[in-house]
Amino acid sequence: PIPIRPLCDFDLRRTAPWPLTEMSAGEALQNVRVGLIILAWMVISISLIMYNKWLLSFAHYGFPFALTSTHQLFAAIMSHTACRMQWQTPPKLTFDQIMTLICPIAVCSSLSLALSNQAMVYITVPFMQMLKAAIPTFSFLIGVSIGLERFYWRLLGVVIWIGGGVAIASYGEIDFVLHGFLIALVGLVVEAARLVLSQRLLQGSDIKFNAITGIYYQAPISFVALFIPFMAFEFSDAYIVMLRIPGHLVANACLAAALNVAAFMVLKETSAVTYGICGQVKDWMNILIAVPIFGTPLTLTQLVGYGIAVLGVFYYKRLRGHIAKEVLDAERRREDEEETPLIQATRPAEGGAAKRCQV
């Protein structure tokens, strides 16, 4: 019989433009596991946002301090239970460290969450997700103003690019509510301040935190910061509604606690870059899912503006990494230049000593 030769007789691993390696069964299972963790994080996050919107706008539970304080209470219980069970070990902090390092971050976090939930009473979920694209803009401006960030014209140009995209998306919003937009804007500025303070904490000290140990210290302070205005402004009206829907409040708070665990697992199994990219995908999914659920109208102007802002966010992160590499290379060249004269100065002495030995 005549042997039949295959049409394509070549080794893909030798001809591919990138290196290909055989994936073992263990690596494949690990990739599937990581993918399921990311999927679970996205599902929990999107479900919580939709649940919050339903409670605040459709279940007549328009009490953001009450809702957010419940989240922080359950987060505090979850994190302290995990540390008591020795699943996580929080760093030891003094009272002064807690007040100066943790307390400002916790207050900013609580205010950001409360203001975002308050804005959700008035504006739509897609519009809120589009506005969140402006957080890098506020973070850069705050970081430069307090001296944590170095000013670069290139970064400023990208920040203006992102702000322009958000402005276009805001212009295209059909159900635009001015006071809801302003509340959301203030909440985003506070969230940017929280990110800047967190960056200063992680870069300026030797204290090591992760998502769970950070919540261990932050959540109780956030709960107190939210509970005080809740008792002052919302309790007289909120407790009647709370007695009517206690199951929803407990389920919503458990979902918020599960989101903290899921975010911790994603950061543990992946990287900050992967987490950021998945976050952008999740924001798009929030927009697309909220449209049929709540009947939110979208315009082409909004989608174009948001697309411009998202591209700006990706380029902003890439440019920051490129600038950081340039700074690191410049420091290395400076160190090499400082060491070179010392090496040249020692060579004549060594040569002279060798000649004396020959004589």
Side-chain angles (χ1 to χ4, degrees), residues 97-163:
Q97 287 177 320
I98 293 175
M99 294 303 296
T100 57
L101 299 177
I102 305 299
C103 192
I105 298 174
V107 172
C108 287
S109 176
S110 59
L111 288 177
S112 170
L113 292 172
L115 291 170
S116 297
N117 286 331
Q118 180 66 50
M120 291 277 282
V121 177
Y122 306 105
I123 65 177
T124 62
V125 173
F127 188 38
M128 186 67 194
Q129 298 303 311
M130 294 177 185
L131 291 178
K132 287 182 178 179
I135 289 179
T137 300
F138 299 131
S139 298
F140 173 73
L141 296 177
I142 294 173
V144 170
S145 63
I146 67 174
L148 185 64
E149 293 275 355
R150 186 179 298 178
F151 178 81
Y152 292 97
W153 286 105
R154 289 177 291 175
L155 288 179
L156 180 62
V158 180
V159 162
I160 295 173
W161 170 4
I162 297 171

Side-chain angles (χ1 to χ4, degrees), residues 278-294:
C278 292
Q280 294 294 334
V281 175
K282 179 175 64 67
D283 290 342
W284 275 105
M285 293 175 65
N286 271 319
I287 294 173
L288 297 177
I289 292 174
V291 170
I293 289 179
F294 300 113

Side-chain angles (χ1 to χ4, degrees), residues 188-202:
L188 295 177
V189 172
V190 176
E191 173 65 13
R194 183 193 70 82
L195 294 175
V196 172
L197 292 174
S198 300
Q199 180 183 356
R200 185 177 65 175
L201 171 63
L202 295 175

